[in-house]
Amino acid sequence: MKVPLLDLKMQYAQIRGEVDQALKEVCESQQFILGPVVSQLEGRIANYCGSAYAVGVSSGTDALIMALMACGINNGDMVITTPFTFFATVGSIVRMGATPLFVDIDEKTYNIDERLLVETLDRMPYDLRGRVKAIVPVHLFGQCAAMAPILEVAGRCGLAVIEDAAQALGAEYRFPSGARRRAGAMGQMGCFSFFPSKNLGAFGDAGMVTTNDEELAAKLSLLRVHGARTKYLHDVLGGNFRLDAMQAAVLQVKLRYLDQWTAGRQRNAGIYRRLFEEKGLQHIVLPFENTPRHIYNQFVIKVPSERDSLKTFLNERGIGCEIYYPVPMHMQPCFSSLGHEPEDFPVALEASNRTLALPIYPELEEGQLAYVVDKIVEFYSSKKMAKII
């Protein structure tokens, strides 16, 4: 049996007619850069996230870079973030000339540990804390970080909060008051990626920045067109960060199906949980739901041992799986000048060594999910690890 990590051909087959028609309309208009299709998508994404504004950009990475630019992040500044994330989070900070200040992750959610964040800021010398300008929490794998304490300490310390929501479109967080907000509508800005493998994926690179601040929205719109309000007159130094109409057209079609696809991912997560319990795999740690709406961009398990061997075993039996992320950011060669040791962030290090993402896309059938779980049982049985299974 084949169980790919993701099968975008199945998704496309469901919506082929609508997508083809949307692309045809863009081709007939011959308006490929920004324009009405992009504006329509921006309005719909803003409405979906519960934010006042959304600005379409060329990728999730460019969304982060633009958000940092809009906050005035510059040489010598420090930005707090997590060491357990995709490279773009930290790479964007460094590209702005700033220094990433890592805070370890929560062992259950894999998101930044909000308690350590508060402790880190509170114990920093006053002069050093003055260099910290922003916090970039990552809503990893489709679940929001603990935004209430993050926003509280950011407000107390005068820091901007830029949500890296690349994997979390539609995820929700419940505040202590009971109010629920969606990813991208809680900090000063939220950054989204529409890379094809995301729960809402384009036919190439695309991204979005959301905000509730009118001035920030205007600044973002200016930055994405080389900082020019009028042609050939550049008020600020921006870049070519524009979203093209072809990608916007595809995303508009897919957005209509997003809640349906999210429900499918959530259903499959529930099936996995039942199957793991039935098979007695209690020593494999399943995703921890700490928020009211986890959208399961990934379904990541933590295994007790031999993660890499398990991945190879599953791949050889037709099961797609992936390691997110095998090398935490503080151990990336290009950040060696920061001087970190592997043990500086032990929870992130453990996650990089023991986690594995299983197929979760909505078109999967229960038989395929059962096959995945059965093969995990087979792997650990073959290792004579009775105490695990």
Side-chain angles (χ1 to χ4, degrees):
M1 181 182 292
K2 296 289 185 181
V3 188
L5 183 64
L6 182 64
D7 190 344
L8 290 175
K9 291 181 179 179
M10 291 186 69
Q11 183 188 89
Y12 177 53
Q14 301 173 38
I15 58 175
R16 181 192 303 269
E18 293 173 77
V19 169
D20 290 356
Q21 178 60 32
L23 291 173
K24 179 182 178 182
E25 289 173 3
V26 172
C27 291
E28 289 177 346
S29 75
Q30 289 295 291
Q31 188 162 2
F32 299 112
I33 303 298
L34 298 178
V37 177
V38 172
S39 297
Q40 289 166 11
L41 177 68
E42 290 171 335
R44 288 168 183 168
I45 292 292
N47 182 66
Y48 189 80
C49 294
S51 64
Y53 306 96
V55 179
V57 298
S58 41
S59 70
T61 301
D62 289 340
L64 288 163
I65 290 171
M66 274 183 48
L68 292 163
M69 291 174 71
C71 285
I73 303 301
N74 212 326
N75 292 330
D77 293 338
M78 300 180 74
V79 177
I80 296 176
T81 194
T82 165
F84 192 62
T85 182
F86 179 62
F87 180 82
T89 310
V90 183
S92 299
I93 293 169
V94 175
R95 283 189 62 183
M96 297 306 300
T99 299
L101 178 60
F102 295 119
V103 172
D104 210 351
I105 59 173
D106 179 273
E107 65 178 354
K108 292 182 178 179
T109 66
Y110 308 116
N111 287 325
I112 195 168
D113 188 323
E114 70 278 9
R115 295 159 298 182
L116 289 177
L117 169 62
V118 173
E119 291 174 10
T120 298
L121 283 166
D122 286 346
R123 71 170 181 256
M124 288 181 72
Y126 181 79
D127 57 339
L128 186 61
R129 195 170 76 179
R131 292 178 53 198
V132 180
K133 303 299 183 183
I135 305 170
V136 182
V138 180
H139 304 317
L140 203 64
F141 304 147
Q143 177 163 240
C144 289
M147 291 301 293
I150 292 171
L151 291 170
E152 190 280 329
V153 73
R156 177 158 53 84
C157 297
L159 308 178
V161 175
I162 299 170
E163 300 172 63
D164 184 338
Q167 301 177 7
L169 182 65
E172 294 180 0
Y173 176 78
R174 182 185 288 113
F175 285 85
S177 66
R180 290 167 63 153
R181 299 286 296 279
R182 285 198 167 176
M186 294 177 278
Q188 274 68 44
M189 285 171 281
C191 300
F192 294 92
S193 168
F194 301 129
F195 188 78
S197 63
K198 296 294 191 291
N199 63 332
L200 180 67
F203 279 11
D205 278 316
M208 191 77 66
V209 184
T210 53
T211 183
N212 289 310
D213 187 307
E214 184 177 7
E215 290 186 12
L216 279 176
K219 186 178 290 187
L220 291 164
S221 296
L222 184 64
L223 287 169
R224 72 176 172 184
V225 290
H226 294 291
R229 286 190 175 88
T230 57
K231 195 172 183 179
Y232 303 134
L233 185 62
H234 304 270
D235 299 304
V236 297
L237 181 63
N240 180 7
F241 302 130
R242 301 170 300 201
L243 175 63
D244 72 73
M246 300 287 274
Q247 302 302 338
V250 171
L251 290 165
Q252 284 207 72
V253 172
K254 287 192 171 188
L255 184 59
R256 296 196 287 267
Y257 294 87
L258 182 56
D259 284 341
Q260 174 186 323
W261 293 338
T262 296
R265 289 173 176 270
Q266 293 167 333
R267 178 197 65 238
N268 289 341
I271 293 172
Y272 267 138
R273 293 183 190 279
R274 174 173 56 80
L275 292 171
F276 272 92
E277 182 179 358
E278 289 174 356
K279 297 296 183 178
L281 291 165
Q282 66 270 19
H283 284 80
I284 290 180
V285 180
L286 303 183
F288 179 75
E289 292 190 10
N290 198 38
T291 55
R293 194 170 195 253
H294 192 319
I295 57 98
Y296 285 103
N297 194 71
Q298 288 95 8
F299 187 90
V300 176
I301 63 173
K302 185 189 291 182
V303 300
S305 63
E306 302 197 54
R307 188 272 313 276
D308 294 350
S309 295
L310 172 61
K311 180 179 183 293
T312 300
F313 180 89
L314 295 176
N315 289 162
E316 289 173 347
R317 284 149 185 82
I319 297 170
C321 47
E322 186 58 88
I323 298 170
Y324 302 101
Y325 298 95
V327 181
M329 291 300 105
H330 69 289
M331 294 313 300
Q332 293 290 338
C334 63
F335 301 140
S336 60
S337 62
L338 297 174
H340 289 300
E341 297 295 330
E343 298 77 16
D344 288 349
F345 306 100
V347 184
L349 182 64
E350 180 189 47
S352 70
N353 290 327
R354 291 179 52 196
T355 57
L356 186 68
L358 303 179
I360 189 67
Y361 61 94
E363 293 84 9
L364 285 166
E365 297 178 358
E366 184 167 346
Q368 292 174 295
L369 302 176
Y371 178 71
V372 173
V373 177
D374 285 344
K375 291 305 167 185
I376 294 174
V377 171
E378 182 181 328
F379 173 80
Y380 284 116
S381 296
S382 69
K383 300 295 179 181
K384 301 186 185 300
M385 300 177 71
K387 64 178 182 179
I388 293 175
I389 62 171

